[in-house]
């Protein structure tokens, strides 16, 4: 009899539990995964780290002097450890105080997901459900990864979640695509992740298959090593960062100018081409957006760009746009320009042709498996209508009552007195962290659920210890992945850590909303309920799930393969009337009357070139002459597991690596392994120099995710000792349309650090003190 294997799931993949002689020894890669990620293997040791939060803890001044006391000491002050009942009473009392004094619109429910691959113990769903049960909260919309695209794309083609779930399968690409042009590469390191756990990592084998099939692959990017195809199979065309829109506009111009465009497709499936052509051709402003024009902006030689455009028109071609392109000033423009170029080529909806948004950022894209609605936890109804774009949290805290534009409407920033955060780390993913730290002083109370003593926990008033993925039962599932996993707890929680659900259930009971939050179910009963709901939704799609008991006993369920190849927008191409898009016209909007009607000067009604505020073609580059690319790390997801052995081994003298070109290193007297100071007008950080030619001259690259470690919390220009690039990035919206994150628009300078090297303290626990009851307020 074959022994059933024991599986668990994390964002980096599905892993097999290594249990020998009744003892768990660690995790193993899934045998059938063609390219397993090593990140998740480090979970076993990391989650047993001394950095785990083991007991509820409250910042000293807040506990003894009351809400709002000494907010400038957040991140600097000792914590007092409490018993759970005391801590829960304090949190429930604060929620009630703010509700009574200011209303629920003064509560911000912060969460950025990614805390669990399990579909029940998903902190974002849990915190929103609890806050909705007690009257609602101010929410955030969109994401740091896709702020501009999530707002733009529904206007012009389809919502991003729909587009991502319908990409061609890699098998379709390999059989049909003859020319793949990627703006910003196709990095396997980014595609290590999937929201519910990747059972089959596909990027490297997918690109290898394209190479074997003879597909020509072109990488238009400031860096060369972000396209994980076999060596020698990719052509690299360096491009000045943040100028991709200009290159795409010129490629479209050259195709139309040569009369190689798909006129019938533009007429039958698109609207607005004539208005866009008036801009491209220079009829509207006297400037033809040809390859010579683009060369002066992008640094790509005009003959190279023109020939590539014509080559795309002459074969089955596909343009892929990395998410990083829209994470920039005017970030909507490269996405709109890429869609418009793909429409001009007329191959959208053909197998292996069209547009990708994108292969590389996550494992979802390229899956051959069918889309299937997995288990989800309802968040309930939010009675508060107020919201902010996710990347505008510092603006909200610094400027309550100020107006902001977003997606065609004017809104007002709320006045927040309580932040409740579970899932994610704002002191990793937000921009201009020194500014955020000053904004963080505004609320009277900040409550967080955390597993480890990172900067997010240290900057809170009340820290409640949460369990990790390996310490609780759950169901692992991700869209278009083949496995559903029964994630059984494999290790006990450290100290007094509790599941988010248990914490919120206790709070909801104290606030008179226990039934609304729990519906009378335990965590185990919720797993069964969610699974059975999912089974009902799956049945009409031809997917028959086993009973919950059978699934839980087996430990996994492999979903059936798709009955036919997945071809992106195939039905729309076949019949644009019967399968109309959900855009205002039902077609692809090359020019969008709705967006034009918003009258935004920084996002007009069709794709344009607008110079970013900071770029290598601007006068500002004289002071800070290097463009900083802050990409996703290969050793962690965002800042998760930065304290793991796998992540720490990647550091240079304990700092995050920064890659620079040999020419830039030579002019600054920098050698590989040196600690360097990276700085601009917003801040400075230390990093470890890596010198090679994978970046073009004038460009440096430093991954995000190093735990923020400032010399002085909240002070202007405070030096980060560890290498977090978000002390340097600009905290501004991509445009008035989206207000998306613009982190990739960033100029810096670099110098060898010659002073006494400060120790990294990011992984130090704060001082923890016992409760002194004599100091408690009456």
């Amino acid at each position: 009899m074959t022994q059933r294997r024991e599986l668990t799931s994390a964002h980096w993949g599905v892993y097999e539990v290594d249990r020998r002689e009744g003892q768990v020894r660690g995790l193993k890669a899934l045998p059938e995964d063609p390219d397993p990620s090593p990140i998740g293997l480090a979970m076993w040791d990391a989650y047993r780290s001394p950095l785990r939060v083991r007991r509820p803890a409250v910042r000293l001044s807040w506990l003894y002097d009351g809400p709002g006391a000494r907010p400038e000491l957040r991140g600097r002050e000792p914590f007092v450890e409490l018993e759970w009942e005391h801590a829960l009473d304090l949190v429930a009392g604060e929620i009630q105080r703010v509700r009574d004094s200011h209303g629920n619109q003064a509560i911000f429910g912060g969460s950025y997901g990614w805390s669990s691959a399990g579909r029940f113990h998903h902190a974002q769903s849990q915190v929103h459900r609890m806050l909705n049960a007690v009257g609602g909260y101010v929410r955030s919309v969109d994401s740091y990864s896709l702020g501009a695209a999530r707002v733009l794309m529904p206007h012009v083609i389809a919502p991003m979640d729909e587009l991502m779930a319908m990409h061609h399968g890699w098998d379709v690409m390999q059989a049909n695509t003859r020319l793949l042009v990627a703006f910003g590469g196709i990095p396997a390191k980014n595609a290590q992740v999937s929201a519910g756990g990747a059972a089959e990592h596909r990027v490297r084998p997918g690109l290898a298959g394209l190479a074997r099939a003879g597909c020509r692959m072109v990488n238009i990017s400031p860096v060369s090593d972000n396209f994980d195809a076999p060596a020698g199979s990719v052509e690299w065309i360096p491009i000045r960062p943040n100028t991709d829109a200009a290159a795409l506009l010129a490629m479209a111009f050259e195709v139309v100018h040569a009369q190689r465009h798909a006129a019938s497709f533009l007429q039958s499936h698109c609207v607005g081409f004539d208005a866009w052509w008036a801009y491209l051709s220079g009829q509207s402003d006297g400037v033809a957006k040809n390859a010579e024009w683009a060369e002066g902006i992008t640094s790509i030689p005009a003959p190279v760009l023109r020939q590539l455009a014509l080559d795309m028109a002459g074969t089955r071609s596909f343009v892929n746009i990395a998410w990083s392109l829209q994470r920039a000033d005017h970030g909507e423009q490269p996405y709109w320009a890429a869609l418009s170029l793909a429409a001009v080529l007329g191959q959208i909806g053909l197998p292996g042709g069209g547009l990708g948004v994108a292969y590389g950022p996550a494992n979802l894209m390229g899956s051959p498996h069918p889309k299937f609605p997995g288990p989800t936890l309802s968040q309930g109804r939010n009675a508060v209508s107020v919201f902010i774009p996710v990347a505008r949290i510092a603006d909200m805290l610094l400027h309550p009552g100020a107006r902001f534009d977003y997606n065609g409407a004017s809104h007002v920033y709320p006045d927040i007195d309580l932040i409740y955060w579970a899932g994610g780390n704002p002191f990793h993913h937000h921009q201009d962290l020194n500014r955020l730290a000053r904004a963080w002083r505004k609320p009277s109370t900040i409550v967080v659920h955390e597993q480890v003593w990172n900067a997010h926990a240290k900057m809170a008033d009340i820290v409640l210890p949460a369990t990790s993925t390996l310490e609780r039962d759950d169901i692992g599932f991700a869209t278009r992945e083949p496995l559903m996993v029964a994630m059984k707890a494999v290790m006990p929680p450290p100290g007094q850590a509790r599941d988010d659900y248990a914490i919120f259930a206790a709070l909801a009971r104290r606030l008179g909303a226990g039934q609304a939050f729990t519906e009378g179910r335990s965590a185990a009963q919720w797993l069964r309920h969610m699974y059975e709901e999912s089974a009902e939704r799956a049945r009409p799609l031809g997917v028959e799930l086993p009973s919950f008991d059978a699934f839980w006993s087996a430990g996994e369920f492999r979903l059936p393969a798709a009955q036919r190849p997945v071809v992106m927008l195939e039905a729309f191409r076949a019949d644009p009337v019967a399968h109309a898009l959900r855009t205002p016209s039902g077609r692809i909007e090359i020019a969008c009357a709705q967006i034009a009607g918003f009258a935004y000067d920084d996002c007009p009604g069709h794709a344009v070139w607008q110079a970013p505020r900071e770029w290598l073609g601007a006068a500002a580059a004289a002071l800070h002459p290097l463009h900083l690319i802050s990409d996703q790390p290969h050793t962690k997801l965002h800042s998760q597991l930065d304290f793991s052995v796998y992540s720490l081994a990647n550091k240079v003298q304990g700092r995050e690596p920064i890659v620079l070109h040999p020419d830039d290193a030579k002019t600054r007297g920098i050698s590989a392994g040196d600690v360097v100071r990276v700085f601009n007008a917003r801040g400075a950080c230390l990093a470890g120099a890596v010198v090679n030619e994978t970046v073009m001259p004038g460009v440096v690259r430093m991954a995000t995710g190093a735990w923020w470690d400032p010399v002085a919390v909240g002070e202007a220009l405070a030096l980060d000792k560890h290498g977090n690039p978000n002390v340097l990035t600009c905290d501004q919206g991509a445009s008035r349309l989206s207000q998306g994150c613009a982190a990739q628009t960033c100029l810096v300078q670099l110098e060898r650090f010659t002073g006494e090297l400060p120790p990294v303290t990011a992984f130090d626990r704060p001082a923890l003190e016992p409760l002194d009851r004599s100091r408690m307020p009456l």
Side-chain angles (χ1 to χ4, degrees):
M1 180 177 178
T2 303
Q3 185 175 358
R4 288 173 176 158
R5 59 186 181 177
E6 186 177 357
L7 303 181
T8 192
S9 188
H11 304 305
W12 311 282
V14 176
Y15 297 94
E16 189 171 356
V17 178
D18 183 8
R19 189 184 293 273
R20 285 172 280 168
E21 299 176 354
Q23 297 293 319
V24 177
R25 309 290 177 149
L27 303 175
K28 300 187 295 185
L30 197 66
E32 62 264 37
D33 188 341
D35 186 26
S37 169
I39 297 176
L41 297 174
M43 286 191 301
W44 175 251
D45 288 325
Y47 287 146
R48 296 185 295 167
S49 164
L51 276 172
R52 290 295 298 270
V53 182
R54 296 176 176 270
R55 293 184 61 195
V58 181
R59 185 171 64 87
L60 187 145
S61 290
W62 192 100
L63 179 65
Y64 295 136
D65 300 327
R70 306 297 301 276
E72 73 280 5
L73 294 183
R74 286 179 179 137
R76 308 183 188 187
E77 200 171 20
F79 283 82
V80 178
E81 292 189 320
L82 302 180
E83 296 301 321
W84 264 109
E85 295 305 302
H86 189 177
L88 290 168
D89 287 345
L90 290 175
V91 174
E94 265 306 276
I95 293 173
Q96 191 61 53
R97 178 190 68 80
V98 174
R99 293 171 67 198
D100 292 343
S101 301
H102 308 291
N104 283 72
Q105 66 272 13
I107 300 173
F108 182 73
S111 184
Y112 197 53
W114 292 111
S115 65
S116 172
R119 297 299 84 196
F120 176 65
H121 292 293
H122 179 236
Q124 187 177 76
S125 298
Q126 293 282 351
V127 66
H128 293 167
R129 179 179 176 87
M130 194 281 290
L131 291 175
N132 283 335
V134 298
Y137 65 100
V138 174
R139 72 192 194 281
S140 62
V141 297
D142 308 325
S143 71
Y144 282 88
S145 296
L146 283 167
R150 284 194 179 278
V151 178
L152 170 72
M153 298 305 271
H155 287 287
V156 298
I157 181 167
M160 280 297 295
D161 287 340
E162 290 183 14
L163 290 171
M164 290 187 291
M166 67 169 70
H167 276 57
H168 303 309
W170 282 109
D171 54 342
V172 172
M173 299 283 284
Q174 292 158 3
N176 297 280
T177 308
R178 301 280 66 89
L179 174 55
L180 169 59
V181 178
F183 283 78
I186 303 180
K189 66 180 177 62
N190 293 24
Q192 291 180 96
V193 303
S194 183
E200 298 173 350
H201 289 89
R202 307 181 187 97
V203 167
R204 281 196 185 93
L207 291 173
L210 281 172
R212 289 193 300 270
C215 177
R216 178 187 173 195
M217 293 182 280
V218 179
N219 183 20
I220 300 178
S221 174
V223 304
S224 65
D225 63 346
N226 60 349
F227 198 121
D228 284 295
S233 64
V234 180
E235 304 168 31
W236 180 33
I237 300 177
I239 184 173
R240 183 176 286 156
N242 286 182
T243 64
D244 305 86
L248 289 157
L249 295 172
M251 293 173 75
F253 172 92
E254 296 296 346
V255 171
V256 179
H257 185 68
Q259 297 186 13
R260 303 283 297 279
H261 59 296
S264 60
F265 183 83
L266 290 169
Q267 183 175 9
S268 59
H269 289 72
C270 308
V271 296
F273 171 72
D274 290 342
W276 192 48
W277 177 245
Y279 168 75
L280 287 184
S281 64
Q283 297 172 29
S284 61
D285 62 3
V287 179
K289 313 308 181 295
N290 57 23
E292 284 74 20
W293 166 81
E295 179 177 354
I297 298 170
T298 67
S299 78
I300 300 175
V304 172
L305 200 59
R306 179 179 293 112
Q307 188 58 54
L308 181 60
L310 298 179
D311 290 347
M312 294 188 76
T315 190
R316 183 63 55 86
S317 59
F318 188 86
V319 58
N320 191 73
I321 302 294
W323 289 1
S324 62
L325 270 63
Q326 52 81 62
R327 206 158 49 244
D329 201 9
H330 311 303
E332 299 83 4
Q333 302 312 314
Y335 263 52
W336 206 346
L339 171 63
S340 301
L341 170 62
V344 162
L345 293 169
Q347 299 188 33
I348 293 172
L350 292 177
L355 173 73
V357 289
Y359 295 89
N363 196 57
L364 164 65
M365 285 68 83
S367 170
H369 303 290
K371 187 177 180 181
F372 160 70
T376 57
L377 176 67
S378 170
Q379 297 182 13
R381 190 184 72 84
N382 191 348
V384 175
S385 61
V386 180
F387 69 91
I388 63 165
V390 69
R392 304 272 56 82
I393 183 171
D395 288 350
M396 172 187 71
L397 296 175
L398 290 169
H399 307 295
R403 302 201 72 86
F404 67 94
D405 293 317
Y406 173 79
N407 203 12
S410 178
H411 301 271
V412 175
Y413 286 123
D415 192 352
I416 297 299
D417 196 47
L418 168 65
I419 291 177
Y420 203 126
W421 205 290
N425 176 1
F427 286 93
H428 149 68
H429 54 244
H430 197 73
Q431 285 64 66
D432 196 348
L433 291 180
N434 292 322
R435 180 175 186 256
L436 177 64
R438 294 190 295 274
W440 215 242
R441 297 171 182 171
K442 198 291 181 173
S444 296
T445 301
I446 298 171
V447 182
V448 306
H449 294 194
E450 257 302 346
Q451 299 164 350
V452 289
W453 282 109
N454 56 18
H456 178 38
K458 294 173 185 176
M459 291 292 290
D461 296 315
I462 302 176
V463 183
L464 303 179
T467 55
S468 76
T469 294
L470 299 179
E471 297 151 10
R472 56 203 182 201
D473 292 345
D474 213 329
I475 299 172
F477 174 82
T479 301
R480 290 184 65 183
E481 288 291 339
L483 279 182
M484 183 180 289
V485 178
M487 299 167 56
K488 300 174 185 178
V490 298
M491 58 192 294
Q496 298 179 17
R498 295 184 180 181
D499 299 342
D500 295 307
Y501 180 70
I503 298 170
F504 287 132
L507 288 174
R509 285 194 296 271
R510 283 167 166 80
L511 293 165
Q515 180 62 28
F517 177 75
T518 68
E519 297 183 24
R521 296 188 182 97
S522 66
Q525 290 169 330
W526 269 111
L527 293 181
R528 180 182 295 273
H529 176 74
M530 289 166 53
Y531 180 91
E532 291 173 349
E533 281 189 329
S534 179
E536 288 297 318
R537 294 192 299 268
R539 197 165 290 119
L541 301 176
V543 177
E544 191 68 37
L545 296 183
S547 70
F548 176 79
D549 290 330
F551 161 70
W552 199 252
S553 175
E556 61 185 287
F557 175 69
R558 180 165 289 274
L559 298 169
Q563 296 181 354
R564 59 194 309 272
V566 179
V567 177
M568 187 175 186
L569 292 168
E570 180 180 40
F572 168 68
R573 183 181 184 91
D575 191 336
V577 176
H579 300 284
L581 304 175
R582 289 192 286 145
T583 61
S585 65
R587 293 185 281 174
I588 295 169
E589 304 228 347
I590 295 176
C592 178
Q594 188 174 61
I595 292 178
F598 298 158
Y600 295 147
D601 56 356
D602 56 3
C603 189
H606 54 68
V608 297
W609 158 252
Q610 291 184 328
R613 295 175 180 88
E614 297 181 17
W615 69 299
L616 294 177
L623 188 60
H624 302 111
L626 299 172
H627 186 107
L628 172 65
I629 293 173
S630 49
D631 61 352
Q632 180 63 231
H634 72 275
T635 59
K636 47 189 173 276
L637 168 62
H638 304 312
S639 66
Q640 284 191 57
L641 298 188
D642 189 36
F643 63 106
S644 74
V645 172
Y646 183 62
S647 180
L648 293 175
N650 187 57
K651 311 282 185 181
V652 178
Q653 293 199 48
R655 275 77 184 173
E656 196 69 20
I658 187 166
V659 182
L660 65 160
H661 190 273
D663 292 349
D664 294 320
K666 183 178 180 180
T667 60
R668 292 163 175 80
I670 294 170
S671 300
D674 285 346
V675 172
V676 298
R677 176 176 173 263
V678 193
F679 62 94
N680 60 18
R682 290 179 287 272
C685 69
L686 300 181
V690 176
V691 181
N692 61 47
E693 294 184 348
T694 60
V695 296
M696 60 188 286
V699 172
V700 295
R701 180 177 61 176
M702 180 165 53
T704 62
W707 283 7
W708 183 52
D709 192 19
V711 169
V713 174
E715 292 187 7
L717 303 180
L719 176 71
D720 171 71
K721 300 173 289 183
H722 190 207
N724 189 317
N726 275 329
V727 301
L728 304 160
T729 52
C730 186
D731 188 12
Q732 64 188 25
S735 75
R736 292 162 64 196
L737 177 75
S738 70
Q739 299 290 353
C741 164
Q744 296 289 16
T745 300
C746 182
L747 295 181
V748 300
Q749 180 57 291
L750 204 68
E751 64 184 12
R752 189 165 65 90
F753 186 77
T754 57
E756 182 178 350
L757 199 58
V760 172
T761 56
F763 306 114
D764 292 352
R765 292 165 58 95
L768 298 173
E769 300 183 358
L771 176 64
D772 182 352
R773 294 189 179 277
S774 68
R775 297 183 60 184
M776 289 293 293
L778 296 177

